[in-house]
Amino acid sequence: MHAVGGEQVEAAVAHCVALLRTVADRDWDGVTAGRLEWSCRHTAAHLPHAFLMYAGHLAGRVHDRRLPLRISVDEGADNAGVLRAVEAAGALLATAIRTAPREARGYHPYPFHSANREGFAAMGVAEALLHTHDIAEGLGVAYEPPADLCAFVLTRIFPHVRPGPGPWPTLLWATGRADLPGRAPVTEWHWYNNPVLPAGRLTLEGVTPAAAIDLSAGGDGGFPWLGGGPADGTREGAGMVVKQYEAGVHRPQWGMYVLVRRADGRAVGAMGFHGPPDEDGRVEVGYDLVGAARGHGYAAEALRALSAWALAREEVTSVFARVARDNLPSQGVVSRAGFTRVAEDGEQFAYALRK
C-alpha cells in the first residue's frame, strides 16, 4: 500500500515526544544539540515552527515563496511546554496532509520550488527524527527511531541516496550526522522533492522511489489511473527506476514522470528518461499510455514539453527516442513532437530532437 504520510507524521512526532519527555527535566538551554550550532532548547522549539510552516504552505497552496509569517514558542515556556507545542503543531501538519488533494502542492525551495503532500510529510518526519537525534546526542541519551519511518523519508525526499545497511544509519549519513562504512562523509546536503512539469492538458509528476517500488510491485504508485491501472510499460519503467535507486544512480529530474490529466486528476500514462545525459549530451526518452488515453494527442503533448525542458538544460544537446518499425502510432507521436528519423537499427527506428 502506498502511504500518503499523515500516519507517519503522527508516529514520528509521538516517538520524538516520548523520548524527549524522559529528559524534560534536564537543562536544554546550556547544551548544544549534537553536531548543530543550536542548543537543545532551540532545536526542540524549531520543530513546531517547521511543522506549522509546512502545514501552512500545503493547506494554503502557497506556490511562489515562504509565508510572511512568524511562528515561535514563548520564551517563558518550559521544556514540557515546548513538547506540547511540538505535539499540537505535528497534529496540524498531519491534518493538512490528510485533507490535501493528491495534486496539491506548496512552496519549498529544494530543489524544484514545490512539494506535494507526501513531500511535506517526509520533511516533517525527517525534522522529527533528525532533531530528536540531535537533542538526544547532545544530552547523551540513546535514540533510534523505527526503520519504517526512516525508509519513508529516504524513498521520498532522498531519491539520490543509495540504500545502505539500514534506513536509520543511511539517513544519518545522508544528512551529515554519522559515517557509513565505504562512503565518504557528507559535508553538504539537502533533500529532493519530486519535480513537476506543466504540459498543456497534462501535468508531468516525477516518480519517487517509493512510488516506483509500489508501481513495479503491481500497485498504483499513489495515482488514480484511467482504466484502473497503468500499462505494462509503465510498470517496467518503474522497475528501472527502482534498480537505479538501489544502485545509487537515480537522478529524479532524469527519471520517470506520470502523466496526469489536469481536467480530472487521472493518470493516463508515463514518460521519462532512461538516465541522465551522457558525455555527448544525449538523453533517451520512452513513454507509455493506458489504452483508454490513446488517440487523444496526450503523448505528443507530453513529449514536446519534456523534450523542451531537457533541451533547455545546458548539459543536453539532443533527445532520442527508439520506436518499433511496425509501431505506426508511436512514430506519429514522435513526429508530431518535432522529432526526425535519424537511423534504423534492425526492428527499430531512431528519432532525435536537437538544439
Side-chain angles (χ1 to χ4, degrees), residues 201 226 261 289-301 336:
R201 294 172 294 166
L226 183 68
R261 197 161 59 185
L289 291 182
V290 301
R294 295 171 185 168
H296 298 282
Y298 293 133
E301 201 165 330
R336 289 193 297 275

Side-chain angles (χ1 to χ4, degrees), residues 196-217:
V196 171
L197 304 175
R201 294 172 294 166
L202 306 170
T203 300
L204 277 59
E205 299 189 19
V207 171
T208 63
I213 291 167
D214 190 56
L215 283 167
S216 65

Side-chain angles (χ1 to χ4, degrees), residues 265-286:
R266 295 284 177 180
V268 299
M271 181 174 292
F273 303 103
H274 292 182
D278 63 20
E279 58 185 11
D280 296 321
R282 166 177 160 160
V283 291
E284 186 171 345
V285 67

Side-chain angles (χ1 to χ4, degrees), residues 25 34 45 102 147 173 219 258 285 317:
D25 60 341
R102 193 207 60 78
W173 170 81
V258 166
V285 67
T317 59

Side-chain angles (χ1 to χ4, degrees), residues 125-346:
V125 173
E127 297 273 6
L129 303 187
L130 294 170
H131 288 318
T132 301
H133 161 80
D134 297 332
I135 297 167
E137 187 174 57
L139 296 173
V141 297
Y143 174 71
E144 182 170 347
D148 62 328
L149 292 179
C150 304
F152 178 85
V153 172
L154 289 167
T155 56
R156 285 161 176 80
I157 58 174
F158 287 90
H160 55 298
V161 172
R162 176 168 56 91
W168 181 231
T170 304
L171 183 58
L172 290 177
W173 170 81
T175 57
R177 287 170 165 83
D179 296 328
L180 205 58
R183 301 194 192 185
V186 172
T187 56
E188 295 183 5
W189 65 274
H190 61 72
W191 48 53
Y192 282 79
N193 282 290
N194 70 322
V196 171
L197 304 175
R201 294 172 294 166
L202 306 170
T203 300
L204 277 59
E205 299 189 19
V207 171
T208 63
I213 291 167
D214 190 56
L215 283 167
S216 65
D220 61 13
F223 296 91
W225 290 88
L226 183 68
D232 290 342
T234 295
R235 297 203 187 280
E236 293 172 7
M240 291 176 56
V241 172
V242 174
K243 289 179 180 178
Q244 292 171 345
Y245 171 65
E246 292 174 344
V249 297
H250 176 56
R251 299 296 175 264
Q253 64 269 46
W254 301 110
M256 176 176 164
Y257 296 78
V258 166
L259 315 183
V260 179
R261 197 161 59 185
R262 289 177 184 265
D264 58 5
R266 295 284 177 180
V268 299
M271 181 174 292
F273 303 103
H274 292 182
D278 63 20
E279 58 185 11
D280 296 321
R282 166 177 160 160
V283 291
E284 186 171 345
V285 67
Y287 50 87
D288 196 15
L289 291 182
V290 301
R294 295 171 185 168
H296 298 282
Y298 293 133
E301 201 165 330
L303 185 56
R304 281 193 294 269
L306 190 61
S307 299
W309 177 87
L311 290 171
R313 312 274 79 74
E314 183 178 350
E315 65 270 32
V316 175
T317 59
S318 58
V319 181
F320 278 75
R322 299 182 187 277
V323 181
R325 183 185 293 270
D326 60 354
N327 191 341
L328 297 181
S330 190
Q331 291 173 30
V333 167
V334 294
S335 296
R336 289 193 297 275
F339 285 62
T340 56
R341 188 185 302 175
V342 294
E344 298 183 24
D345 181 13

